[in-house]
Amino acid sequence: MPDIIQLLPDSIANQIAAGEVVQRPASAVKELIENSIDAEATRIKLIVKEAGKTLLHVIDDGKGMSETDARMSLERHATSKIRKAEDLFTLHTMGFRGEALASLAAVAQLEIKTRTADKELGTLLIVEASDVKKQESVACDKGTSVCVKNLFYNIPARRNFLKSNASEYQHIVEEFHRLALAHPEVAFQFIETDSLEYDLPPGKLSQRIVNIFGKIYQEQLAVCQEETALLKITGYVGQPHFAKKKRGEQFLFVNKRFIRSNYLNHAVMSAFEGLLPDSSFPFYVLFIEIDPKHIDVNVHPTKTEIKFDDERAVYAVVLSAVRQAIGTHNLTPAIDFNSDVNIIAKLSQAANQSKDVYFEERFSTSLQQSNRDHWEKLFEGDENKNLFQIPPPGPVQTLRFESALNQPESQDNVEEKIICQLHDRYIVRQVKSGMMIIDQQAAHERILFEKFLYQLKNKSGASQQSLFPQAISLSAADFTLVLEMQGEIEALGFKVEVFGKNTLLVNGIPGTLSSGSEKELFEGLIEQFKTNQSQLAIPIRENLARSLAKRAAVKTGQSLEREEMRSLVNNLFACTTPNVAPDGKPTFFIFELGKIESYFNRYK
Ligand code: ADP
Ligand code: MG
């Protein structure tokens, strides 16, 4: 029998590859614009006709290509972006497969004009079905212009497979939005036939969002920012009440690459839990920056999927960043759109620094007042500001439960509105929109967490002397860990000294905690710290504050006095982010009056 296996000619191999890389006009737009971005363009113009079916043209002012490179760019697996397999793990460019131009050249008529800065004349290439019809020198601007005509003209089956112009155009617009959002520093123009659809000047992300989606987005954006050892998150989320009935305005980028991830989308949605009207979708534009060695983008040719080596850690950070954003936004409603993303962080930092007594006098600052006002808005709608049932600032109880019992009865009406404690777990109180149910443990963890974090930052934790200092012997590793963090531990209010080999003496504990259980508290703190350390990538201080809050908080199952409940509720809503516990779990939820009514009316 004769040998029958043959290598496919390049033109056919390229057509097959094109089936994966270029599925529709929008994918060509993506590939071409990404090439322009990789070429460091500062201005990119996209022109389409008939939803890109007859013409797709991308013009940039980037680096351009030499004559030889222009020719080479059409070969499959020809790329200037990686040289060896390891480069895949340090990728900083959008492209890397070297397939896009070769694929386009196989399934369309291509006209490329390109010039590098150091040459007076550029190169013109005309290609049809992988066949170079013409190559010559031309006068042209620095940069590259790639014109794709009659996509799939030589593959009728694929051309017929395209959807209506309206639908293909919609795909192009979506792709354009993603690229323009990912690169606000680049100017973009988008021309459909003869009309200028988008004219986006270079600027900040917030401006780009407003320029694409409209002015009303301006008031709706909350800054989202979080940085851990593993990754950094920046961007904006829309306020809950601004959520839309359809999905679509949700953008997640990893190292500036748009990705789809049901898993991380779930993290964002969880952060909004309980705050969104039924079946609605919040707006978000979030950027994750992560060392490329922790991700694999080579999963799918169109590169909208990605693998993280530690997906759970990424989930946790996204969740907490978005929760933080929704909470913090209510502190400072007017984002300065001309300033940087940091503004909220700076504002709240400044506010914190200006307070000399953080906890005991929290309601006395106007920041706290405005925090409460904004929470009120979130739940009650903008009208009737003063109807929220939390009372005006008064003397605030600290959460020292043992002493709270001795406080005189308060005149405040919060008390009447606290209906009861439910199963020694929840505090139920009336709010304007219905019934609020607060998880006592989660709420107290939030309050203590913010307090401890403040003390750590300001080294201001008061200590109470122990009557009977307790010796604690630790493993060698834990002993070293404690010594490494001694400064932080003392800032919280603990007093420790070395007391022999791997042994510590605890002389004092944080002022607001009940004494008598020093040993248990301290050991619990270290245990919790280590658990957090192994599961979450969070900074030491945050971990310490979280751990101690968790250990010291009132627990589920503990019966509370009225005064304690009152104090708990007051202090919760004086927090920066009252809606979630430090671990991200909700602290309360509201059972809407409408829901209660509908329950009673359901047989009508
Ligand atoms: P990849 O982007 O994966 O490298 P492409 O087929 O998209 O593969 O492009 C092949 C090569 O052509 C690129 O590596 C780059 O060197 C060059 N190239 C393509 N588009 C441009 C452009 N707009 N400006 C400058 N060089 C370009
Ligand atoms: Mg490319």
Side-chain angles (χ1 to χ4, degrees), residues 495-566:
K495 288 229 154 55
V496 290
E497 62 185 72
V498 177
F499 193 65
K501 185 165 185 254
N502 296 341
T503 305
L504 291 171
L505 196 64
V506 179
N507 283 325
I509 61 163
T512 47
L513 303 179
S514 51
S515 56
S517 53
E518 287 84 351
K519 185 163 188 280
E520 206 188 320
L521 190 69
F522 191 80
E523 285 173 342
L525 169 69
I526 301 306
E527 263 329 293
Q528 190 67 45
F529 182 89
K530 288 194 302 183
T531 312
N532 288 353
Q533 205 176 32
S534 65
Q535 290 170 1
L536 310 157
I538 52 175
I540 289 185
R541 281 179 180 175
E542 190 183 333
N543 188 349
L544 275 174
R546 266 208 208 193
S547 303
L548 189 56
K550 186 147 198 103
R551 288 293 156 158
V554 53
K555 297 292 179 300
T556 291
Q558 190 167 330
S559 160
L560 300 180
E561 298 293 325
R562 242 163 209 284
E563 199 56 43
E564 293 173 328
M565 288 193 259
R566 195 188 81 92

Side-chain angles (χ1 to χ4, degrees), residues 25-26 28-30 32-33 36 43-60 104 109-111 113 141 144-151 168-169 172-173 176 179 187-199:
V29 166
K30 170 174 187 278
L32 294 177
I33 293 185
S36 300
R43 278 181 299 137
I44 298 173
K45 190 192 234 172
L46 168 67
I47 304 168
V48 303
K49 282 190 181 147
E50 284 190 63
K53 291 176 187 173
T54 50
L55 179 108
L56 258 173
H57 192 175
V58 173
I59 304 156
D60 69 51
L104 280 169
Q109 296 153 340
L110 224 58
E111 200 179 297
K113 273 190 213 160
D141 290 334
T144 303
S145 139
V146 180
C147 187
V148 181
K149 289 182 193 156
N150 303 317
L151 188 65
E168 292 299 340
Y169 181 69
I172 294 179
V173 170
F176 180 80
L179 292 157
F188 282 89
Q189 283 190 328
F190 181 178
I191 297 160
E192 203 280 294
T193 314
D194 290 318
S195 108
L196 181 60
E197 296 294 304
Y198 294 90
D199 189 6

